[in-house]
């Protein structure tokens, strides 16, 4: 029994990955520099997708209302639920690397008291790097899906390279596999959505956004929850 417990503890320790193994894997792809330089294409892609939208309230006469703000997630509809889950899954693996493996987006060797601040800054960098993927899912246009497909394919290739170079043991394969599967799903779903949007004629602007939003609001109002909320907000007549 003690031997079985020791083997189980050794297995858990191997799942977290040893520091020596991380140093060996860093020679294949320097993830720190990769994510730092990824901020440049992430900013460019976000700006390109923002130029396809028009502002409706602020400075509408300047450059025909472009660029506009892009919301990273469409919370009013249930479209692209699996793609959003895959995008969140790929991002969650980076949070795991920050919290458990201390793989920050910035090489930091200063005081330990500032490590938490550097970790928060690393999460912000990772969020900005993955923002174009969420933005293309929210836009639902052929142009956005095309940019998102090319963008996520680059990350998928880097993941496969790291997996082939580093994962020489079963434990390490299990550690990298969820992130690779999430990005592999995005590599398939985004091109499929691109074809769907291209056939619908949503090249740069989703012409059905307004209609789908109205239909969604009508469904919410006509649902049981919507009727219950309307009854709660309805004024009641006071009895004399």
């Amino acid at each position: 029994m003690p031997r079985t417990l020791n083997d189980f503890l050794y297995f858990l320790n191997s799942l977290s990955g040893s520091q020596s193994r991380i140093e060996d894997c860093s020679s294949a792809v320097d993830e720190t520099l990769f994510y730092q330089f990824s901020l440049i294409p992430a900013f460019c892609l976000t700006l390109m997708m923002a130029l396809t939208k028009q502002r409706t309230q602020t400075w509408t006469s300047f450059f025909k209302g472009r660029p506009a703000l892009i919301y990273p997630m469409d919370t009013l509809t249930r479209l692209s639920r699996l793609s959003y889950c895959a995008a969140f899954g790929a991002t969650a693996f980076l949070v795991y690397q920050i919290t458990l493996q201390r793989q920050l987006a910035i090489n930091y060797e200063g005081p330990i008291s500032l490590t938490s601040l550097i970790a928060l800054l690393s999460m912000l960098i990772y969020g900005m790097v993955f923002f174009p993927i969420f933005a293309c899912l929210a836009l639902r246009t052929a142009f956005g899906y095309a940019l998102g497909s090319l963008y996520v394919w680059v990350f998928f290739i880097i993941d496969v390279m790291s997996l082939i170079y580093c994962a020489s043991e079963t434990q390490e394969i299990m550690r990298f596999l969820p992130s690779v599967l999430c990005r592999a799903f995005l590599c398939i779903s985004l091109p499929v959505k691109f074809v769907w949007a291209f056939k619908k004629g949503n090249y740069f602007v989703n012409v059905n956004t307004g209609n789908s939003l109205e239909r969604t609001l009508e469904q919410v109002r006509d649902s049981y929850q919507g009727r219950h909320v309307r009854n709660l907000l309805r004024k009641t007549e006071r009895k004399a």
Side-chain angles (χ1 to χ4, degrees):
M1 184 66 181
R3 183 177 180 181
T4 304
L5 181 59
N6 291 333
D7 293 339
F8 179 71
L9 293 176
Y10 176 77
F11 175 74
L12 292 179
N13 188 26
S14 61
L15 280 179
S16 61
S18 61
Q19 185 67 24
S20 61
R21 189 63 188 170
I22 294 174
E23 293 177 356
D24 295 338
C25 293
S26 62
S27 60
V29 177
D30 192 343
E31 294 187 359
T32 302
L33 290 177
F34 173 73
Y35 282 105
Q36 289 177 1
F37 282 106
S38 295
L39 290 173
I40 299 175
F43 175 78
C44 295
L45 293 181
T46 303
L47 181 60
M48 292 172 64
M49 286 186 281
L51 288 173
T52 61
K53 296 191 64 177
Q54 289 182 318
R55 297 185 299 272
T56 57
Q57 295 181 355
T58 306
W59 294 348
T60 56
S61 60
F62 177 75
F63 201 59
K64 296 183 179 180
R66 304 177 190 273
L69 184 64
I70 300 178
Y71 296 97
M73 187 173 182
D74 186 4
T75 58
L76 296 178
T77 62
R78 296 183 177 181
L79 299 175
S80 305
R81 288 175 293 179
L82 293 178
S83 298
Y84 276 120
C85 291
F88 276 111
T91 310
F93 181 75
L94 298 175
V95 178
Y96 156 77
Q97 288 183 323
I98 293 175
T99 54
L100 296 182
Q101 296 185 353
R102 296 299 179 183
Q103 292 186 6
L104 305 177
I106 300 175
N107 293 325
Y108 177 73
E109 298 179 355
I112 302 178
S113 58
L114 297 179
T115 305
S116 300
L117 180 61
I118 301 300
L120 292 176
L121 183 60
S122 299
M123 291 184 182
L124 179 62
I125 292 175
Y126 289 145
M128 294 173 63
V129 168
F130 276 87
F131 184 84
I133 300 177
F134 291 94
C136 75
L137 292 174
L139 285 179
R140 288 182 288 163
T141 60
F143 180 71
Y145 287 139
L147 295 180
S149 299
L150 296 176
Y151 191 66
V152 77
W153 268 101
V154 174
F155 284 92
F156 179 71
I157 293 174
I158 296 299
D159 271 354
V160 172
M161 290 175 57
S162 300
L163 186 63
I164 294 175
Y165 186 85
C166 300
S168 60
E169 299 179 0
T170 305
Q171 293 86 351
E172 295 182 1
I173 294 178
M174 296 300 295
R175 182 159 54 91
F176 281 101
L177 191 59
S179 175
V180 175
L181 291 179
C182 289
R183 297 183 187 184
F185 179 83
L186 291 173
C187 290
I188 298 174
S189 64
L190 291 182
V192 172
K193 292 179 182 297
F194 165 76
V195 175
W196 173 81
F198 191 84
K199 290 183 177 180
K200 291 288 185 179
N202 301 329
Y203 304 117
F204 295 95
V205 179
N206 190 352
V207 296
N208 298 322
T209 301
N211 297 331
S212 62
L213 180 59
E214 292 178 359
R215 289 195 299 268
T216 303
L217 293 177
E218 291 178 358
Q219 293 175 359
V220 172
R221 285 193 294 264
D222 296 337
S223 63
Y224 169 77
Q225 294 84 354
R227 293 195 301 269
H228 179 67
V229 172
R230 283 189 295 173
N231 291 332
L232 292 177
L233 298 178
R234 186 176 300 168
K235 292 183 179 181
T236 57
E237 297 180 358
R238 295 183 179 180
K239 296 182 179 180

